[in-house]
Amino acid sequence: MEEETILNIGFDDTDSPKGMCTTFLAYKIVDSLQKQKTVFLDFPRLIRFNPNIPWKTRGNGAVAIKIKTKNPSKIKNQVKNMISKYSDTKNGANPGLVFLESPFIPVEFVKFSNLALWQLINRDHAKKFAKRNNLEVYFQGNGQGLIGAIGAIGYDFHDHTLELLSYRKKSKFGKERKISSESVKIMQDQTSPSTFNSFDVEKERVLIMPHGPDPVFYGIRGENVDSLLRATTILKNEEKLDGYMIFKSNQGTGDHLTNELNAENMKPYASGKITGIVSNMPRIANGGHVFFKIISKTHEFWCAVYKPTGMSTVASNLIKGDKICVGGGVRKASKNFPRIINLEFLDILNLEKKMSTSNPDCNKCHKKMKSKGMHQGFQCIRCGKKSPKKISFEVSRKIKKQLYLPKISAHRHLTRPLQRIGTVNDKFDFDESVSWFCVYR
Ligand code: ATP
């Protein structure tokens, strides 16, 4: 009898801004594998990597699938053919596909994946990694997709969320998506906090629908299968959909901001966090964006808080001496600015006392004294009482010692939303018999 092996399949960069979507290709691959009665060992993974790399199409997502099979060669060939057939290479996709036949994930994969989450990786590094580890890989174009493909297999979850992605029928690709926004609002009210980031109440905006020509109709993010399936029954859309698939993801975990940035690793496009002391008065630039510096371990770093994040007012109220921890992406130096961290969170750890001064009061007449001129002290104009210097007093701060997050409309896929602060979802809740995948036939 043939032995069963565990096969991990990772792929990325199959899409372009003009069409396709790596998750849709995953849906097609799963459909074809299901028809052959393949055993799936977990949800397909949708892993988001460093959101600050410049060449991503949208959210820098890659996919991996874990299955048990008696015929890995046949499956590898099928997947390879599908990647080659469906990838949008003519519009710039650089697909990468990686196979790992192993019941466990080698530590090198985990390390590679961790690095891809917050640093920029050279594609030659991925090619060398594949060679060194004797991996079966396939790529087209420049092979950039190998980075996400290796990383998606190697991602070591400590916390996860799920996303139910529903797909449109081919005849609808590129056409306007219509959904009742009221139904999305109701869905959020009835399923949150088991679902998150579905509707922006402040801007009255639906957040589950993309706007590009890709095949996704909507994506509902949440914590468990039941809530996601329930959410689909509340939504009202007239369009007949093709089907859906539930992915296990690092979205909403904030994992890209867990590494410490410092003078050595703060390279352009890196993501991470840094703790330091505010070292100048924040400047408010045109458009309401706020810029300030922090000192951390004797190095000074510029920070930028853009108006649309909704955190600029908080940043403008920082003063020299405040201790903060900030997370974000490093922007390359420009003609007008040095390297700068674009903030994705601002955690105020300690607030400096804000002091101000004023002319002294006359304690007999209860009036402010008047200055007698430079270095000549102050005097009460009523009773003539004198005082040598100004008095200083503490001014109350307009900001608090707390974590400030961007507005929901400025969230990235990886941003940990407020409702997930302190939450860890580490349950292994995959059950093959549950409806994690469905094609409406
Ligand atoms: P979608 O979200 O629709 O799948 P995308 O935003 O993921 O699209 P891709 O077309 O997949 O965009 O392009 C991202 C590319 O960047 C991929 O080739 C991926 O392998 C690569 N990549 C991912 N992480 C890194 C990293 N840390 N350093 C360098 N390249 C990376």
Side-chain angles (χ1 to χ4, degrees):
M1 222 177 83
E2 276 175 275
E3 284 272 309
E4 280 197 322
T5 61
I6 291 178
L7 177 63
N8 297 276
I9 310 168
F11 48 98
D12 194 12
D13 211 337
T14 63
D15 53 4
S16 79
K18 293 204 171 143
M20 267 306 288
C21 166
T22 302
T23 72
F24 180 64
L25 190 44
Y27 165 77
K28 288 283 178 206
I29 291 171
V30 167
D31 187 27
S32 132
L33 295 178
Q34 270 232 335
K35 286 179 186 146
Q36 303 167 58
K37 306 259 177 290
T38 306
V39 178
F40 290 85
L41 299 176
D42 202 351
F43 296 102
R45 311 168 138 213
L46 167 56
I47 309 299
R48 301 283 177 184
F49 290 105
N50 187 352
N52 295 304
I53 59 150
W55 46 76
K56 63 180 181 171
T57 311
R58 282 176 292 264
N60 197 11
V63 171
I65 296 168
K66 191 178 198 134
I67 57 168
K68 196 151 75 178
T69 174
K70 282 185 179 166
N71 198 343
S73 313
K74 182 176 147 207
I75 288 187
K76 285 177 198 168
N77 259 328
Q78 283 176 356
V79 174
K80 199 162 126 184
N81 289 337
M82 289 182 82
I83 298 273
S84 134
K85 180 171 163 198
Y86 290 112
S87 292
D88 198 8
T89 42
K90 60 179 185 308
N91 288 311
N94 292 295
L97 169 65
V98 172
F99 297 110
L100 172 72
E101 259 183 71
S102 168
F104 62 89
I105 305 299
V107 65
E108 293 78 22
F109 271 78
V110 178
K111 282 190 185 155
F112 187 101
S113 187
N114 280 339
L115 199 65
L117 195 59
W118 69 296
Q119 289 287 354
L120 186 104
I121 298 183
N122 188 303
R123 54 180 171 267
D124 287 338
H125 179 60
K127 288 176 187 162
K128 282 186 193 139
F129 178 93
K131 215 169 183 179
R132 203 169 51 243
N133 291 284
N134 228 351
L135 294 180
E136 266 180 272
V137 302
Y138 165 77
F139 66 87
Q140 281 177 278
N142 63 18
Q144 189 75 38
L146 289 175
I147 297 168
I150 299 167
I153 293 178
Y155 195 82
D156 189 15
F157 284 105
H158 299 289
D159 175 24
H160 71 265
T161 59
L162 300 179
E163 181 165 12
L164 183 150
L165 282 164
S166 72
Y167 298 101
R168 317 181 81 179
K169 291 200 177 293
K170 202 165 173 208
S171 57
K172 291 285 187 184
F173 289 5
K175 302 209 171 120
E176 195 195 345
R177 295 168 178 87
K178 287 188 186 142
I179 196 162
S180 142
S181 51
E182 187 56 26
S183 75
V184 182
K185 204 168 158 188
I186 293 171
M187 179 275 271
Q188 174 157 287
D189 287 346
Q190 295 190 2
T191 58
S192 171
S194 295
T195 61
F196 61 92
N197 287 16
S198 303
F199 192 80
D200 181 351
V201 187
E202 195 186 312
K203 295 198 167 165
E204 292 275 317
R205 252 187 61 206
V206 169
L207 300 172
I208 57 172
M209 252 173 15
H211 302 285
D214 57 293
V216 173
F217 186 74
Y218 58 63
I220 311 167
R221 293 157 281 236
E223 307 288 338
N224 58 65
V225 173
D226 288 350
S227 308
L228 295 181
L229 294 179
R230 203 174 136 238
T232 61
T233 63
I234 302 170
L235 296 176
K236 288 200 170 67
N237 50 285
E238 270 152 38
E239 182 173 329
K240 259 190 134 359
L241 299 173
D242 193 77
Y244 70 82
M245 184 152 86
I246 295 181
F247 291 84
K248 181 171 179 172
S249 182
N250 60 348
Q251 295 175 153
T253 63
D255 273 4
H256 66 308
L257 301 179
T258 50
N259 291 288
E260 295 281 345
L261 291 171
N262 57 40
E264 283 81 55
N265 65 25
M266 213 185 92
K267 300 189 188 126
Y269 312 118
S271 300
K273 65 176 180 183
I274 187 163
T275 300
I277 306 286
V278 177
S279 58
N280 70 345
M281 279 308 276
R283 286 190 211 152
I284 305 174
N286 281 347
H289 314 308
V290 176
F291 297 85
F292 62 92
K293 286 191 277 186
I294 56 169
I295 288 192
S296 177
K297 297 188 184 124
T298 71
H299 289 275
E300 213 164 36
F301 303 91
W302 273 101
C303 298
V305 180
Y306 291 98
K307 178 94 176 163
T309 62
M311 303 189 296
S312 55
T313 309
V314 175
S316 68
N317 278 297
L318 290 167
I319 60 169
K320 250 171 113 169
D322 286 342
K323 184 173 183 187
I324 58 176
C325 174
V326 297
V330 179
R331 202 183 67 187
K332 216 167 120 180
S334 67
K335 222 168 55 201
N336 301 326
F337 255 111
R339 208 168 276 184
I340 200 161
I341 313 170
N342 288 342
L343 297 207
E344 293 176 37
F345 76 71
L346 170 54
D347 193 4
I348 301 183
L349 306 176
N350 199 27
L351 285 170
E352 184 74 355
K353 268 191 188 167
K354 187 174 180 179
M355 303 303 289
S356 188
T357 55
S358 74
N359 291 3
D361 292 319
C362 170
N363 46 19
K364 194 168 150 215
C365 311
H366 304 293
K367 287 262 171 213
K368 282 255 172 266
M369 294 185 181
K370 284 260 183 295
S371 168
K372 289 180 69 193
M374 255 275 257
H375 307 306
Q376 291 176 60
F378 300 85
Q379 188 167 31
C380 176
I381 47 165
R382 265 210 206 157
C383 69
K385 194 172 173 359
K386 289 182 184 164
S387 180
K389 54 180 192 300
K390 285 197 168 197
I391 49 161
S392 74
F393 59 94
E394 193 177 337
V395 182
S396 72
R397 300 292 306 268
K398 293 193 182 120
I399 48 180
K400 292 194 181 120
K401 238 166 46 174
Q402 66 163 72
L403 172 68
Y404 290 93
L405 291 177
K407 282 184 181 172
I408 193 170
S409 53
H411 278 199
R412 291 172 176 276
H413 291 281
L414 276 160
T415 306
R416 180 176 278 271
L418 205 54
Q419 73 187 78
R420 294 204 82 252
I421 301 290
T423 299
V424 175
N425 186 355
D426 55 4
K427 283 191 292 286
F428 180 80
D429 47 5
F430 182 72
D431 177 350
E432 246 224 300
S433 63
V434 164
S435 345
W436 58 276
F437 173 79
C438 180
V439 178
Y440 308 121
R441 300 199 198 267

